[in-house]
Amino acid sequence: MPVITTIEDLRVLAKKRVPRMFYDYADSGSWTESTYRANESDFQTIKLRQRVAVNMENRSTATQMIGQNVAMPVAIAPTGLTGMQHADGEILGARAAKKFGIPFTLSTMSICSIEDVSAGTGGHPFWFQLYVMKDRDFIERLIDRAKAANCSALVLTLDLQILGQRHKDLKNGLSAPPKPTLATILNLMTKPRWGLGMLGTKRHGFGNIVGHVKGVENMGSLSEWTAKQFDPGLNWGDVEWIKKRWGGKLILKGIQDVEDAKLAVNSGADALIVSNHGGRQLDGAESSIHALPRIVDAVGSQIEVHMDGGIRSGQDVLKARALGAKGTYIGRSFLYGLGAMGEEGVTKALQIIHRELDLTMAFCGHTNIETVDKSILLPGTFPT
């Protein structure tokens, strides 16, 4: 086993161990992938102010996200097909998050179901991400299932009414479980660790959907389901209906524009996530870290502002916090750890990010995450 010191180390190992179509699904963006790349690279242009001769004892990264205590301002983002990166992936991710003391968010398009994750974590609270579909009866039952599973927040995704084109998924023939084409079989033969894990689980399809929708007994294609069921007519009236049906903490994901941020405030949601879906929807949109300060300035006093997109280190978390994000989300960083080493890999990813966050905060002259603001950033290097 190589020495793992960075999220990049986990990415390299995951690429070796995860079948090509599922690795590519996680590690790609739409069209030219310019926004996907900008999410990550725009963090690198932001520079930190090093401070010295500051007492660095008794450091704390603990804070709150929507009133929930968290060990650091990080949650695991909802990611589709997580259980195809590693057998029972959603359960393993939720367990690691529980032990670390941060939120885990389950995707509607997960392989393990809501009930699987609840049982796998002993009923520990987690967050559930909802896509709005044309079948409103299914949506209502999905919300009720999340309530019954002790989910403590609903994350409503607003930026995937239609699916952005991701070239790699089309070329790989992405499906869950994978279709037995010659190219797929040859690739799977090089991933014995993954294959053995899959042989040991019964969870190979979309657990929240198959068996819960009339007429859907199996479903391999994410794009097929999206085209048929995701609702392009989604509007702010639907947000009001969902908020009323849910009745608990509501987070709106996919906000990139100040006008939409103001509408999010008016909706009565508890938080919004500045997000461009990891560069997987509108290619050419600005990076999340660039959009963040403008939205914080506009609505940060009225609603809790979170962000995702491009976070590969604890330094990225600290920079987002400095620019006003009360919480951040990791998607790919989590998936790299999961694909590389299962639950142990997820824990490793969280440890890496936490250590980098803790040490960088100290080097910048702070011992408590609550006191971090844009004063830790070098003027002229960060977006305003």
Side-chain angles (χ1 to χ4, degrees):
M1 176 68 66
V3 177
I4 303 293
T5 60
T6 64
I7 297 299
E8 174 63 11
D9 290 340
L10 291 171
R11 185 197 68 78
V12 171
L13 190 54
K15 188 173 184 179
K16 293 178 181 177
R17 292 182 169 178
V18 178
R20 182 186 301 115
M21 72 168 62
F22 300 123
Y23 174 81
D24 283 352
Y25 171 76
D27 196 30
S28 64
S30 61
W31 287 301
T32 69
E33 300 189 335
S34 65
T35 299
Y36 164 47
R37 293 191 298 272
N39 273 347
E40 189 172 350
S41 63
D42 283 355
F43 271 106
Q44 308 312 311
T45 64
I46 302 171
K47 302 304 178 185
L48 300 161
R49 293 177 60 209
Q50 177 178 309
R51 303 300 303 276
V52 297
V54 176
N55 187 338
M56 296 181 179
E57 297 175 310
N58 303 316
R59 297 189 302 276
S60 174
T61 60
T63 185
Q64 290 190 334
M65 293 174 67
I66 59 166
Q68 179 176 324
N69 292 331
V70 293
M72 59 180 172
V74 174
I76 290 181
T79 55
L81 290 94
T82 298
M84 287 289 122
Q85 302 293 325
H86 189 287
D88 297 336
E90 292 89 356
I91 295 172
L92 302 184
R95 285 177 180 167
K98 174 185 175 181
K99 292 174 185 174
F100 211 88
I102 66 165
F104 173 84
T105 315
L106 181 70
S107 171
T108 291
M109 308 307 295
S110 60
I111 302 301
C112 301
S113 68
I114 298 171
E115 293 79 9
D116 289 335
V117 173
S118 180
T121 57
H124 184 73
F126 59 97
W127 297 355
F128 181 68
Q129 174 270 333
L130 180 72
Y131 285 123
V132 177
M133 301 175 188
K134 295 173 184 176
D135 186 340
R136 291 299 199 258
D137 178 63
F138 170 65
I139 291 298
E140 290 184 347
R141 285 185 284 111
L142 199 56
I143 291 172
D144 292 344
R145 288 167 60 197
K147 287 182 185 178
N150 199 28
C151 291
S152 54
L154 189 71
V155 178
L156 176 59
T157 295
L158 298 177
D159 63 351
L160 208 152
Q161 295 159 271
I162 55 177
L163 190 66
Q165 182 165 308
R166 303 155 196 171
H167 301 325
K168 292 175 185 175
D169 292 350
L170 295 174
K171 291 176 179 178
N172 288 330
L174 178 70
S175 64
K179 295 174 183 175
T181 65
L182 178 60
T184 298
I185 291 170
L186 290 174
N187 185 242
L188 292 179
M189 288 172 64
T190 68
K191 315 294 180 183
R193 179 188 176 105
W194 182 91
L196 286 172
M198 286 298 168
L199 287 174
T201 182
K202 61 184 179 182
R203 303 177 182 95
H204 302 133
F206 293 96
N208 289 324
I209 296 168
V210 175
H212 296 280
V213 180
K214 295 171 185 175
V216 178
E217 301 307 322
N218 58 70
M219 184 186 72
S221 173
L222 176 63
S223 59
E224 176 187 351
W225 170 259
T226 303
K228 289 181 179 178
Q229 273 295 334
F230 280 38
D231 191 353
L234 172 66
N235 59 69
W236 289 98
D238 294 318
V239 175
E240 182 179 349
W241 160 66
I242 288 168
K243 177 177 170 58
K244 185 176 180 181
R245 177 79 184 195
W246 169 245
K249 296 282 188 178
L250 178 66
I251 303 171
L252 301 182
K253 182 176 183 286
I255 305 297
Q256 282 281 108
D257 188 89
V258 167
E259 288 185 42
D260 287 334
K262 292 176 179 177
L263 291 170
V265 171
N266 293 338
S267 76
D270 297 279
L272 65 83
I273 306 175
V274 177
S275 172
N276 52 42
H277 217 97
R280 296 163 67 76
Q281 285 295 92
L282 175 60
D283 188 40
E286 70 177 329
S287 67
S288 295
I289 194 64
H290 261 246
L292 175 64
R294 194 166 60 250
I295 290 174
V296 168
D297 287 345
V299 302
S301 63
Q302 301 166 272
I303 191 171
E304 195 166 305
V305 177
H306 302 170
M307 71 82 63
D308 78 359
I311 292 176
R312 305 290 186 270
S313 69
Q315 287 202 344
D316 294 340
V317 173
L318 190 70
K319 290 172 182 178
R321 181 78 183 195
L323 291 174
K326 298 298 183 183
T328 63
Y329 296 72
I330 55 169
R332 292 184 176 95
S333 293
F334 149 64
L335 293 177
Y336 297 151
L338 179 67
M341 298 188 295
E343 183 177 344
E344 181 187 358
V346 178
T347 298
K348 188 67 175 178
L350 296 177
Q351 289 171 341
I352 288 169
I353 287 173
H354 181 261
R355 180 169 175 78
E356 291 174 343
L357 171 63
D358 175 58
L359 293 179
T360 305
M361 180 178 71
F363 288 138
C364 290
H366 288 257
T367 57
N368 193 311
I369 196 71
E370 300 289 2
T371 67
V372 169
D373 58 22
K374 65 180 64 174
S375 66
I376 72 165
L377 306 176
L378 189 68
T381 69
F382 58 89
T384 58

